[in-house]
Amino acid sequence: MKFTLLKTDKECKARRGRLETDHGTIETPIFMPVGTAGTVKGVLQRDVKTEVKAEIILGNTYHLYLRPGLDVLEKAGGLHKFMAWDMPILTDSGGFQVFSLAHNRKLNTNGCEFRSHIDGSKHLFTPENVVDIQRKIGADIIMAFDECPPGTADFAYAAKSLDITQQWLERGLKHFDSTDPKYGYSQTFFPIVQGCVYPDLRRKAAEGAAKFYREGYAIGGLSVGEPEEVMYEMIEVVEPILPSDRPRYLMGVGTPANILEAIARGVDMFDCVMPTRNGRNGMLFTREGIINIKNLRWKDDFSPIDPDGTNYVDTTFSKAYLRHLFVANEMLGPQLASIHNLSFYLWLVNEARLKIEEGTFLSWKNMMIKKLTTRL
Amino acid sequence: MKFTLLKTDKECKARRGRLETDHGTIETPIFMPVGTAGTVKGVLQRDVKTEVKAEIILGNTYHLYLRPGLDVLEKAGGLHKFMAWDMPILTDSGGFQVFSLAHNRKLNTNGCEFRSHIDGSKHLFTPENVVDIQRKIGADIIMAFDECPPGTADFAYAAKSLDITQQWLERGLKHFDSTDPKYGYSQTFFPIVQGCVYPDLRRKAAEGAAKFYREGYAIGGLSVGEPEEVMYEMIEVVEPILPSDRPRYLMGVGTPANILEAIARGVDMFDCVMPTRNGRNGMLFTREGIINIKNLRWKDDFSPIDPDGTNYVDTTFSKAYLRHLFVANEMLGPQLASIHNLSFYLWLVNEARLKIEEGTFLSWKNMMIKKLTTRL
């Protein structure tokens, strides 16, 4: 994998870059649609490519490991072939998901024992086997196994948790570097910077990760309930420490406004379930603001879903039609809204790239954020 | 609307025809995907056209009348514009749906009073206003309002019910002929032949309808629980009575085998929810037989969903992947299965057309029926 930093903004930390993988090139800043279990929910792969214009998608190690399982994925020749997606895939490490299992997980320094949410069966994730699992899934970008403390963790808990994450990082790296790609194309390993809402811990985490000088870095454990300002502050704390010639991936973030603010602070990669999850509930993100398509006000608004949209859905169907689909509980409603929202997120990062290239990112960002947070 | 009978089979009653409407030409025999509430469930309009290769779809008057309602549909300029579908649309008359409301309907000779299944509000359908409603929906082909007796109705009930349907037909026709198309393109009215499972009543119904010599005829009230042989017998009873130069539409039928048997008996048009409804439950119709994709046997079958399929879905995704989507309750499963099944139904009628043209329909049909009813 090769990252080229093409330009850094003069007024803020925004960066324009290019990430080359064996499955294709990714222009950064980039948003990665979430394909939890080998599918971007409700959207055909062809549409993820041609309508959404995604350049990379994310898969969830925890979910894929449980279903369809590694035996199936290996026999298929990896996730790319299994789901018929020939562009890059990044997998998370499962750390966040097993953390979410709360009382159904048992942490020790070796790893984390957990019970499947599907059938209650027992499993163990370790820094080493999580690398093996992601190699077998066939991700282009593999994440380190991390301990995710709750957003409300006190300093002592967060510090102890970071110690574990840092030990696991060393073990994961060692294991990654001593194993080979599974399917003939190269695979890359990103450390994850944790440290909760504590600047000292974040600094320690970033320094501990930076010293390995890997091909990219993730910032984890944010957007988990802390105020947005704290999230931005944590990015500002770690940004100068992370190698500037490596991409930075802010995990699980966020709203369109969050993404622009994080880009302004030097982040290059994003993923979030929000465009699909909120889309399935009838919330549309547009360049004029947020639409709740179920509202009566759209009942006879026959204007296109997004007159400026660049995909088939936005210009073909009206707001009134999309509202009708949601009111009538028709599957097509969530499908169309998911395509729209994902396409909007990809439009947003593409626009950010153009503005960085032009040198007008900061003023554009400030103008956009007002619009993006408006409720129509 | 213009129907041209291109060829009639020498060994059976199968017919190859062409139906021209202001929204395009329909080759018969044809299958019409059901778009109950202005959407073919789970399938984007573009895919109904290019992947399924539908030539006409069906809308449900009862559902569209209640939601989005005629005010919205009229303001949109009709259902075609509302749902962004520029090919032909046939609407049923709502007779079957209000019949299904059982205790929530009140029949009199004027029409049928019923309560909405959505909010309990009271409504009245009459032979006249059902024509008006379908004109406002903007259907290319409009159905007469009929009384649908249950499949188990005794002769006396069925005879009385047919009297009502025949009176309503006269009233509907008179009203249709004295009103104009709503949106500038022509609209056509089909009588519906009822008569339950009683040959005498079916004969009477067919004669009563045939005398008006309309542009097409529907056969209703079949596939509602009676044995398949009885359904075929009823078709055989009415077929010689209906004008041979007019298309015959068998409402709500059926399995792929039902469709081939009905084609062999002179039917030209079909609709059924089976390909989408069963598809959403993981049942796939293929030319080798019926697949329950949830079965364990497909777990690591990486062959295409349908290697002979002519759409994007069939050849892009594997059985193992589709099974995984269903096991994981992913929306994409029902979406892919619906596209596959609809496409298969359209393939089947297309193939029937070719075989009729070649003069090999009957032997092909007999061979196919064995396969189509096999459980894989």
Side-chain angles (χ1 to χ4, degrees), chain A residues 1-121:
Chain A
M1 208 187 75
K2 188 185 155 202
F3 181 69
T4 312
L5 187 59
L6 300 170
K7 189 177 177 186
T8 304
D9 197 78
K10 287 195 175 60
E11 303 172 308
C12 66
K13 303 278 186 181
R15 299 136 52 91
R16 171 78 181 87
R18 182 167 293 144
L19 193 57
E20 288 163 76
T21 78
D22 285 352
H23 282 104
T25 297
I26 302 152
E27 304 294 333
T28 65
I30 190 69
F31 177 80
M32 306 181 279
V34 177
T36 305
T39 157
V40 176
K41 285 187 195 301
V43 187
L44 272 73
Q45 275 73 328
R46 179 200 55 196
D47 294 339
V48 176
K49 198 184 272 198
T50 61
E51 304 299 337
V52 171
K53 300 176 182 69
E55 299 180 11
I56 173 172
I57 61 170
L58 180 137
N60 284 115
T61 290
Y62 170 83
H63 291 282
L64 292 163
Y65 163 80
L66 292 177
R67 250 181 352 206
L70 297 182
D71 56 335
V72 170
L73 288 171
E74 278 193 82
K75 277 190 209 164
L79 180 60
H80 290 86
K81 285 189 182 160
F82 182 64
M83 69 178 288
W85 176 257
D86 59 8
M87 296 171 83
I89 297 175
L90 177 151
T91 42
D92 67 4
S93 62
F96 183 74
Q97 274 76 26
V98 296
F99 150 70
S100 310
L101 294 171
H103 297 300
N104 276 318
R105 67 159 199 170
K106 211 160 98 189
L107 184 73
N108 55 46
T109 48
N110 181 42
C112 186
E113 225 177 70
F114 62 95
R115 285 189 181 277
S116 155
H117 73 287
I118 300 165
D119 63 5
S121 56

Side-chain angles (χ1 to χ4, degrees), chain A residues 16-245:
Chain A
R16 171 78 181 87
R18 182 167 293 144
L19 193 57
E20 288 163 76
T21 78
D22 285 352
H23 282 104
T25 297
I26 302 152
E27 304 294 333
T28 65
I30 190 69
F31 177 80
M32 306 181 279
V34 177
T36 305
T39 157
V40 176
K41 285 187 195 301
V43 187
L44 272 73
Q45 275 73 328
R46 179 200 55 196
D47 294 339
V48 176
K49 198 184 272 198
T50 61
E51 304 299 337
V52 171
K53 300 176 182 69
E55 299 180 11
I56 173 172
I57 61 170
L58 180 137
N60 284 115
T61 290
Y62 170 83
H63 291 282
L64 292 163
Y65 163 80
L66 292 177
R67 250 181 352 206
L70 297 182
D71 56 335
V72 170
L73 288 171
E74 278 193 82
K75 277 190 209 164
L79 180 60
H80 290 86
K81 285 189 182 160
F82 182 64
M83 69 178 288
W85 176 257
D86 59 8
M87 296 171 83
I89 297 175
L90 177 151
T91 42
D92 67 4
S93 62
F96 183 74
Q97 274 76 26
V98 296
F99 150 70
S100 310
L101 294 171
H103 297 300
N104 276 318
R105 67 159 199 170
K106 211 160 98 189
L107 184 73
N108 55 46
T109 48
N110 181 42
C112 186
E113 225 177 70
F114 62 95
R115 285 189 181 277
S116 155
H117 73 287
I118 300 165
D119 63 5
S121 56
K122 255 192 195 168
H123 303 269
L124 175 70
F125 275 177
T126 68
E128 290 83 9
N129 80 0
V130 156
V131 166
D132 294 334
I133 292 168
Q134 292 177 84
R135 285 225 187 262
K136 287 175 183 173
I137 291 172
D140 298 274
I141 302 175
I142 285 175
M143 291 291 133
F145 190 51
D146 56 342
E147 215 289 297
C148 297
T152 53
D154 62 25
F155 186 87
Y157 184 102
K160 200 182 131 200
S161 167
L162 179 59
D163 280 345
I164 296 172
T165 290
Q166 291 196 310
Q167 287 163 33
W168 287 0
L169 173 59
E170 291 213 38
R171 283 168 53 190
L173 269 173
K174 196 173 158 194
H175 190 70
F176 179 84
D177 289 339
S178 66
T179 53
D180 289 320
K182 175 83 187 161
Y183 303 108
Y185 51 84
S186 57
Q187 298 181 297
T188 300
F189 182 99
F190 280 22
I192 302 177
V193 172
Q194 290 286 355
C196 234
V197 295
Y198 304 105
D200 287 351
L201 295 183
R202 286 279 168 189
R203 217 168 277 125
K204 183 184 169 203
E207 284 162 359
K211 72 175 184 223
F212 296 110
Y213 194 50
R214 303 301 299 193
E215 288 166 292
Y217 288 88
I219 305 170
L222 292 174
S223 197
V224 290
E226 80 287 355
E228 288 182 336
E229 292 65 32
V230 174
M231 169 167 76
Y232 301 145
E233 188 199 337
M234 294 304 112
I235 300 169
E236 289 166 12
V237 165
V238 302
E239 188 278 329
I241 302 169
L242 297 176
S244 64
D245 59 349

Side-chain angles (χ1 to χ4, degrees), chain B residues 180-195:
Chain B
D180 290 320
K182 175 84 188 163
Y183 304 107
Y185 52 84
S186 57
Q187 299 182 295
T188 301
F189 182 100
F190 280 22
I192 302 177
V193 172
Q194 289 287 353

